[in-house]
Amino acid sequence: MMNIAMVSEHASPLAALDGVDAGGQNVHVAQLAGALAARGHTVTVYTRRDDAEAPDVVALAPGVRVVHVPAGPPRALPKDDLAPFMAEFGRWLARSWIADGAPDLVHAHFWMSGLAARHAADALQIPLVQTFHALGAVKRRHQGLADTSPARRLAAETALLGGADAVLATCGDEKRELVALGADPERVAIVPCGVDLAAFTPPAPRGQEASDRTVEPVRIVALGRLVERKGVDTVIAALAALPASAPDSAVPNTSALNGAVLHIAGGPDAAELDEDPEAVRLTALARDLGVEDRVVLHGRVDRAGAAALLATADVVACTPWYEPFGMVPLEAMACGRPVVGSAVGGLLDSVDDGVTGLLVPPHDVDSTTAALARLLTDPDLAARMGRAGRDRVERLFGWDRVADRTETVYRRVLRRHRARQQKPRSDARAWFSTHLSELQHAARDAAAHADVVDRWGAQLATLLGAGGRVLVAGNGGSAAEAQHFTAELVGRFEDERTPLSALCLSAETSSLTAIGNDYGGAEVFARQVQAHGRPGDVVVLLSTSGRSANVLVAAERARTGGMHVWALTGPAPNPLAEAADEALTVDAGSTSVVQEMHLMLLHAVCAAVDARHAATPVPGPAAVPVAGRVMDGRERTEAGLLLGVEAG
């Protein structure tokens, strides 16, 4: 059995549903921890202390405890203000685990939890699993200037992708987003959110009052955090647009649809709704559309209240702009209710369109109106979808099922981690022998690339001699090789010649950080290519795996801009080699061998360039004006020595 640490810095499993910053993540952490403990594991959830009076440790369920970590002031703070305290959070975790024993693995929930967890996990060599629950790049795309996330979020998430032993995506759409940001697809597993099948159940069959059901107003329910991106305004507009009667009088339940009532739950307590900006906005919209008397805002409801409200619905509406996963559709289906939902994010996985509900485009009032009308005027269809929904969540989304899939990922991570620890360490002599053997094999294979290298050298010599330029980029060790290559061209390799125009995009630290913060890690090279590259220029991209997202996006942008793309990668086939105009691939299993061969190949390209440029006259040292006159070469050398600068 495993000793599991979960880090959930702002979303305590003890928090009430639908608090200001409480919602699906709080429930997810609480339910997953409980389900894992029920399978025999021990789970400790670490959350930031936001109340000075809260106990240090709280028992949440058998086998699950919650620890309040002192990081920042012990009071409630908006989650967007918590990033500066994550280093303190991480140091506390490391000290605690050193003193009391380290867990087998750490599971971080949300990006800021990842910052804290990684600090401690790296210090103690503990494997790290990351669930983001929401991605900054997606939030920035949809909210633009309204996004209140810290500026460092996008860059931090990209870094966490590279540092985690596994990343859990809650749906297929999120996995696609993660891979686009640079995640290794083999380390991303899809594990959805779950639903409490005992708490959310279909209502008991109606008895004698069933015959009176047709005279009651139909009920639409919208449940969730009261924020603009949840798209409740679309449901209010659809309510106002519902036709006065069923479009087909042959359809059962021909009662007037304009009597439908929308019940909205979420946000602050009911007594505080008048002070909540979103509640005030929605109320004003309902008044403007003439349906104020048919829109009921309930405010915050607890889990039992949410289950009871969903069970009374004829239709549950979930129409967000975007949704990392969305637990309300699962809860609605568990209650046997059909769902009208936006075709975004996790709803694409949870709602079986046409079977358990109807999916519509986000922001689309007409489509939402039509979907609501279809279900509200055909109770037999709604009932069939409700039964199918309950069957679907029982098969796929119970917490025991989610815990089983999570446990599978944990065990895979632990096996890899233990294999790395148990790998026999060779002495220096053995390492050199093995490494040189693989390097010699790779070097012999590289000889087959001689014609390509010579052609690249000739093309670069012609291009750069005519005023063109070469742009070079790579990550990690490949970034160092990219910088080395451009230095050889701007300076010299072996022969004296004129300097050649070469830019290393990996070395532009200000551009890298600014672009990463504003546009996400996938854009850090592509945007520079777009800015500096011109049609006919050459873009050289290095990647040992050939799968780095930011390099692949740069290749696409370069080709769109009429530039030539050359790639240096590890073993083929790989996406970068296929995306490039030409590629030099190194068939070696060791990353260090691939990198060393890349440097050798780049040196060979430089030699080929030199062979065509070496005869070009090199101008002498430029005269430098000083104090109203011009220094000669001797004085310039002496001045450089005085300034601590090497002349030449």
Side-chain angles (χ1 to χ4, degrees), residues 514-541:
I515 296 169
N517 283 338
D518 291 340
Y519 300 97
E523 282 284 321
V524 293
F525 298 140
R527 199 163 177 84
Q528 293 187 73
V529 167
Q530 190 173 347
H532 300 306
R534 296 162 297 194
D537 285 349
V538 169
V539 178
V540 179
L541 299 172

CSV table of all heavy atoms in Angstrom, one decimal, residues 514-541:
chain,number,residue,atom,x,y,z
A,514,ALA,N,9.1,37.0,-21.7
A,514,ALA,CA,8.0,37.8,-22.0
A,514,ALA,C,7.0,37.0,-22.8
A,514,ALA,O,5.8,37.1,-22.5
A,514,ALA,CB,8.5,39.1,-22.7
A,515,ILE,N,7.5,36.3,-23.8
A,515,ILE,CA,6.6,35.6,-24.7
A,515,ILE,C,5.9,34.4,-23.9
A,515,ILE,O,4.7,34.2,-24.1
A,515,ILE,CB,7.3,35.1,-26.0
A,515,ILE,CG1,7.8,36.2,-26.8
A,515,ILE,CG2,6.4,34.1,-26.8
A,515,ILE,CD1,8.7,35.8,-27.9
A,516,GLY,N,6.7,33.8,-23.1
A,516,GLY,CA,6.2,32.7,-22.3
A,516,GLY,C,5.1,33.1,-21.4
A,516,GLY,O,4.0,32.5,-21.3
A,517,ASN,N,5.3,34.3,-20.7
A,517,ASN,CA,4.2,34.8,-19.8
A,517,ASN,C,3.0,35.2,-20.6
A,517,ASN,O,1.9,35.0,-20.1
A,517,ASN,CB,4.8,36.0,-19.1
A,517,ASN,CG,5.7,35.6,-17.9
A,517,ASN,OD1,5.7,34.5,-17.5
A,517,ASN,ND2,6.6,36.5,-17.5
A,518,ASP,N,3.2,35.9,-21.7
A,518,ASP,CA,2.0,36.5,-22.4
A,518,ASP,C,1.3,35.5,-23.4
A,518,ASP,O,0.1,35.6,-23.5
A,518,ASP,CB,2.5,37.7,-23.3
A,518,ASP,CG,2.9,38.8,-22.4
A,518,ASP,OD1,2.5,38.9,-21.2
A,518,ASP,OD2,3.7,39.7,-22.9
A,519,TYR,N,2.1,34.5,-24.0
A,519,TYR,CA,1.5,33.7,-25.0
A,519,TYR,C,1.6,32.2,-24.7
A,519,TYR,O,1.0,31.4,-25.5
A,519,TYR,CB,2.1,34.0,-26.4
A,519,TYR,CG,1.9,35.5,-26.8
A,519,TYR,CD1,2.9,36.4,-26.6
A,519,TYR,CD2,0.7,35.9,-27.4
A,519,TYR,CE1,2.7,37.7,-27.0
A,519,TYR,CE2,0.5,37.2,-27.7
A,519,TYR,CZ,1.5,38.1,-27.5
A,519,TYR,OH,1.3,39.4,-27.9
A,520,GLY,N,2.3,31.8,-23.7
A,520,GLY,CA,2.5,30.4,-23.4
A,520,GLY,C,3.8,29.9,-24.0
A,520,GLY,O,4.4,30.4,-24.9
A,521,GLY,N,4.3,28.8,-23.4
A,521,GLY,CA,5.6,28.2,-23.8
A,521,GLY,C,5.7,27.8,-25.2
A,521,GLY,O,6.8,27.8,-25.8
A,522,ALA,N,4.6,27.4,-25.8
A,522,ALA,CA,4.6,26.9,-27.2
A,522,ALA,C,5.0,28.0,-28.2
A,522,ALA,O,5.5,27.7,-29.3
A,522,ALA,CB,3.3,26.3,-27.6
A,523,GLU,N,4.9,29.2,-27.8
A,523,GLU,CA,5.1,30.4,-28.7
A,523,GLU,C,6.5,31.0,-28.6
A,523,GLU,O,6.9,31.9,-29.3
A,523,GLU,CB,4.1,31.4,-28.5
A,523,GLU,CG,2.7,31.1,-29.1
A,523,GLU,CD,2.7,31.3,-30.6
A,523,GLU,OE1,3.4,32.3,-31.1
A,523,GLU,OE2,2.1,30.5,-31.3
A,524,VAL,N,7.4,30.5,-27.7
A,524,VAL,CA,8.6,31.3,-27.3
A,524,VAL,C,9.5,31.4,-28.5
A,524,VAL,O,10.3,32.4,-28.7
A,524,VAL,CB,9.3,30.7,-26.1
A,524,VAL,CG1,8.5,30.8,-24.9
A,524,VAL,CG2,9.7,29.2,-26.3
A,525,PHE,N,9.6,30.4,-29.4
A,525,PHE,CA,10.5,30.5,-30.6
A,525,PHE,C,9.7,30.9,-31.8
A,525,PHE,O,10.2,31.7,-32.6
A,525,PHE,CB,11.1,29.1,-30.9
A,525,PHE,CG,12.0,28.6,-29.8
A,525,PHE,CD1,12.0,27.2,-29.4
A,525,PHE,CD2,12.8,29.4,-29.1
A,525,PHE,CE1,12.8,26.7,-28.4
A,525,PHE,CE2,13.6,28.9,-28.0
A,525,PHE,CZ,13.6,27.6,-27.7
A,526,ALA,N,8.5,30.5,-31.9
A,526,ALA,CA,7.7,30.8,-33.1
A,526,ALA,C,7.5,32.3,-33.3
A,526,ALA,O,7.6,32.9,-34.4
A,526,ALA,CB,6.3,30.1,-33.0
A,527,ARG,N,7.2,33.0,-32.2
A,527,ARG,CA,7.0,34.5,-32.3
A,527,ARG,C,8.3,35.2,-32.7
A,527,ARG,O,8.3,36.2,-33.4
A,527,ARG,CB,6.5,35.0,-30.9
A,527,ARG,CG,5.8,36.4,-31.1
A,527,ARG,CD,4.9,36.7,-29.9
A,527,ARG,NE,4.4,38.0,-30.0
A,527,ARG,CZ,3.3,38.3,-30.7
A,527,ARG,NH1,2.6,37.3,-31.3
A,527,ARG,NH2,2.8,39.5,-30.8
A,528,GLN,N,9.5,34.7,-32.2
A,528,GLN,CA,10.7,35.3,-32.6
A,528,GLN,C,11.0,35.0,-34.1
A,528,GLN,O,11.5,35.8,-34.8
A,528,GLN,CB,11.9,34.7,-31.8
A,528,GLN,CG,11.8,35.1,-30.3
A,528,GLN,CD,13.1,34.7,-29.6
A,528,GLN,OE1,14.2,35.2,-29.8
A,528,GLN,NE2,12.9,33.7,-28.7
A,529,VAL,N,10.7,33.8,-34.5
A,529,VAL,CA,10.8,33.5,-36.0
A,529,VAL,C,10.0,34.4,-36.8
A,529,VAL,O,10.4,34.9,-37.8
A,529,VAL,CB,10.4,32.0,-36.2
A,529,VAL,CG1,10.2,31.7,-37.7
A,529,VAL,CG2,11.4,31.0,-35.6
A,530,GLN,N,8.8,34.6,-36.4
A,530,GLN,CA,7.9,35.5,-37.1
A,530,GLN,C,8.4,37.0,-37.1
A,530,GLN,O,8.3,37.7,-38.1
A,530,GLN,CB,6.5,35.5,-36.4
A,530,GLN,CG,5.4,36.2,-37.2
A,530,GLN,CD,4.0,36.0,-36.6
A,530,GLN,OE1,3.9,35.1,-35.7
A,530,GLN,NE2,3.1,36.8,-37.0
A,531,ALA,N,9.1,37.4,-36.0
A,531,ALA,CA,9.6,38.7,-35.9
A,531,ALA,C,10.9,38.9,-36.8
A,531,ALA,O,11.0,39.9,-37.4
A,531,ALA,CB,9.9,39.1,-34.5
A,532,HIS,N,11.8,38.0,-36.7
A,532,HIS,CA,13.1,38.2,-37.3
A,532,HIS,C,13.3,37.5,-38.6
A,532,HIS,O,14.2,37.9,-39.4
A,532,HIS,CB,14.2,37.6,-36.3
A,532,HIS,CG,14.2,38.2,-35.0
A,532,HIS,ND1,14.3,39.6,-34.8
A,532,HIS,CD2,14.2,37.6,-33.7
A,532,HIS,CE1,14.3,39.8,-33.5
A,532,HIS,NE2,14.2,38.7,-32.8
A,533,GLY,N,12.6,36.5,-38.9
A,533,GLY,CA,12.8,35.7,-40.2
A,533,GLY,C,12.2,36.4,-41.4
A,533,GLY,O,11.1,37.1,-41.3
A,534,ARG,N,12.8,36.2,-42.5
A,534,ARG,CA,12.3,36.7,-43.8
A,534,ARG,C,12.3,35.6,-44.8
A,534,ARG,O,13.0,34.6,-44.6
A,534,ARG,CB,13.2,37.8,-44.3
A,534,ARG,CG,13.3,39.1,-43.4
A,534,ARG,CD,14.5,39.9,-43.6
A,534,ARG,NE,15.7,39.2,-43.3
A,534,ARG,CZ,16.9,39.9,-43.2
A,534,ARG,NH1,17.0,41.2,-43.4
A,534,ARG,NH2,18.0,39.2,-43.0
A,535,PRO,N,11.4,35.7,-45.8
A,535,PRO,CA,11.4,34.6,-46.8
A,535,PRO,C,12.8,34.3,-47.3
A,535,PRO,O,13.5,35.2,-47.7
A,535,PRO,CB,10.5,35.2,-47.9
A,535,PRO,CG,9.6,36.2,-47.1
A,535,PRO,CD,10.4,36.8,-46.1
A,536,GLY,N,13.1,33.0,-47.4
A,536,GLY,CA,14.4,32.6,-47.9
A,536,GLY,C,15.4,32.4,-46.8
A,536,GLY,O,16.4,31.7,-47.0
A,537,ASP,N,15.2,32.9,-45.6
A,537,ASP,CA,16.1,32.7,-44.5
A,537,ASP,C,16.0,31.2,-44.1
A,537,ASP,O,15.1,30.5,-44.4
A,537,ASP,CB,15.8,33.5,-43.3
A,537,ASP,CG,16.2,35.0,-43.4
A,537,ASP,OD1,16.9,35.3,-44.4
A,537,ASP,OD2,15.8,35.8,-42.6
A,538,VAL,N,17.0,30.7,-43.3
A,538,VAL,CA,17.1,29.4,-42.8
A,538,VAL,C,16.8,29.4,-41.3
A,538,VAL,O,17.4,30.1,-40.6
A,538,VAL,CB,18.4,28.7,-43.1
A,538,VAL,CG1,18.5,27.4,-42.4
A,538,VAL,CG2,18.5,28.5,-44.6
A,539,VAL,N,16.0,28.4,-40.8
A,539,VAL,CA,15.7,28.2,-39.4
A,539,VAL,C,16.2,26.8,-39.1
A,539,VAL,O,15.7,25.8,-39.6
A,539,VAL,CB,14.2,28.4,-39.1
A,539,VAL,CG1,14.0,28.1,-37.6
A,539,VAL,CG2,13.7,29.8,-39.5
A,540,VAL,N,17.2,26.8,-38.2
A,540,VAL,CA,17.8,25.5,-37.7
A,540,VAL,C,17.2,25.2,-36.4
A,540,VAL,O,17.3,26.0,-35.4
A,540,VAL,CB,19.3,25.5,-37.7
A,540,VAL,CG1,19.9,24.2,-37.2
A,540,VAL,CG2,19.9,25.9,-39.1
A,541,LEU,N,16.6,24.0,-36.2
A,541,LEU,CA,15.9,23.6,-35.0
A,541,LEU,C,16.5,22.3,-34.4
A,541,LEU,O,16.6,21.4,-35.2
A,541,LEU,CB,14.4,23.5,-35.2
A,541,LEU,CG,13.7,24.7,-35.7
A,541,LEU,CD1,12.2,24.4,-36.1
A,541,LEU,CD2,13.7,25.8,-34.6
